[in-house]
Amino acid sequence: MPKTSRDRIAVLCPKEETVALRARFKSFKNAEFIPAITFVDNFEAVENAVKLAAAAAYVVFGSKHSVSLFFEEAKDLGIKNPLKNAEVFAAGQSTAMELESHGVNVAYAPETGGLAEVYARISEMEHGPVVEISGSNASKADSLELAPGFMHVRIKAYSVEECMMEFDADKYSAVVFPSSLEVESLFKSIDYDFARLQGLKAVCIGSKALEKAMGAFKNAKGAEVNSLESAIKAAGGNNG
């Protein structure tokens, strides 16, 4: 029996990553990738991050986009191995994969818990300078702290803006949210008319996204692992 339109999954994602994600997850035939947010990059901050990383004992990346910006700037500066002196941490599995694609050995990337788990792990290690590179509103990192004795610098490499979408909920059986930012973007796009979302399943990466989604979706759950592949599968992704 052929698939109907209601078997389709809407995967909300950053505009800048849409093409790459479609290619990466092309085996999921019923997944449709929809731009929901866009990045506004702070190149001066990224340059500072690359320079500070050379003197850091630990470097933490909060997102895939922060990794991309970091290595683009390092290339422009002519620095071939900008992380050679640091232990490198990623907020999640997708960020770790992006780092590994640049040849980086990731010391730790939690399956769940995000930056809070990374901070807990580093707090148990030998004291040293820590540089975190993430977005200005990509997480609740501002409320996180390391144990006393660490010198900590947080670089806000970019900010995020919502993309207004024409979202036809009748086309889909489920929506995947990589973060709370995509949740808020959808809510604004439908003018907070949550009745339009009834009957849809929501699968979220991270507790903050899940908490926000539960305000509109009766059937909302978190991905078992903080990765997009895990979330798509949980939403009913048809792989092959």
Side-chain angles (χ1 to χ4, degrees), residues 16-88:
E16 292 80 0
E17 298 177 5
T18 305
V19 173
L21 289 173
R22 286 170 180 161
R24 177 183 166 194
F25 294 107
K26 62 182 179 181
S27 62
F28 289 94
K29 304 301 183 183
N30 62 334
E32 180 179 340
F33 292 85
I34 302 172
I37 59 174
T38 188
F39 301 123
V40 180
D41 301 329
N42 184 338
F43 296 106
E44 182 178 352
V46 179
E47 181 178 351
N48 289 335
V50 174
K51 293 177 178 177
L52 286 171
Y58 310 103
V59 177
V60 179
F61 289 91
S63 68
K64 287 174 58 179
H65 190 60
S66 62
V67 176
S68 298
L69 288 174
F70 180 88
F71 280 96
E72 287 173 7
E73 184 61 29
K75 183 178 179 181
D76 289 344
L77 293 173
I79 302 174
K80 293 184 178 181
N81 192 359
L83 297 170
K84 65 180 179 181
N85 298 319
E87 287 194 68
V88 180

Side-chain angles (χ1 to χ4, degrees), residues 16-236:
E16 292 80 0
E17 298 177 5
T18 305
V19 173
L21 289 173
R22 286 170 180 161
R24 177 183 166 194
F25 294 107
K26 62 182 179 181
S27 62
F28 289 94
K29 304 301 183 183
N30 62 334
E32 180 179 340
F33 292 85
I34 302 172
I37 59 174
T38 188
F39 301 123
V40 180
D41 301 329
N42 184 338
F43 296 106
E44 182 178 352
V46 179
E47 181 178 351
N48 289 335
V50 174
K51 293 177 178 177
L52 286 171
Y58 310 103
V59 177
V60 179
F61 289 91
S63 68
K64 287 174 58 179
H65 190 60
S66 62
V67 176
S68 298
L69 288 174
F70 180 88
F71 280 96
E72 287 173 7
E73 184 61 29
K75 183 178 179 181
D76 289 344
L77 293 173
I79 302 174
K80 293 184 178 181
N81 192 359
L83 297 170
K84 65 180 179 181
N85 298 319
E87 287 194 68
V88 180
F89 296 78
Q93 298 298 306
S94 295
T95 305
M97 288 178 61
E98 185 71 17
L99 283 161
E100 288 165 358
S101 74
H102 290 277
V104 177
N105 181 24
V106 178
Y108 177 62
E111 291 191 346
T112 60
L115 286 172
E117 290 298 316
V118 172
Y119 277 42
R121 176 66 64 94
I122 295 175
S123 292
E124 297 174 352
M125 302 176 75
E126 183 179 351
H127 290 169
V130 180
V131 174
E132 178 204 315
I133 307 160
S134 56
S136 64
N137 54 351
S139 73
K140 53 185 179 182
D142 286 342
S143 64
L144 301 176
E145 296 295 341
L146 290 160
F150 286 90
M151 184 177 73
H152 180 210
V153 178
R154 179 176 290 122
I155 303 292
K156 298 181 178 182
Y158 63 92
S159 59
V160 178
E161 295 180 352
E162 294 95 358
C163 299
M164 297 305 292
M165 298 172 282
E166 294 291 336
F167 187 80
D168 185 354
D170 291 335
K171 292 182 178 180
Y172 307 104
S173 58
V175 187
V176 172
F177 297 107
S179 76
S180 62
L181 296 168
E182 285 88 356
V183 181
E184 186 63 30
S185 179
L186 176 60
F187 287 178
K188 288 183 179 180
S189 293
I190 63 172
D191 198 24
Y192 297 91
D193 181 7
F194 296 155
R196 293 170 56 182
L197 303 176
Q198 297 308 304
L200 284 178
K201 179 181 181 179
V203 179
C204 306
I205 298 177
S207 59
K208 189 175 181 182
L210 178 59
E211 181 180 358
K212 187 175 287 288
M214 287 177 67
F217 293 87
K218 291 183 178 179
N219 184 5
K221 62 180 295 185
E224 291 185 4
V225 176
N226 283 359
S227 75
L228 197 53
E229 181 175 3
S230 175
I232 293 171
K233 287 179 178 178

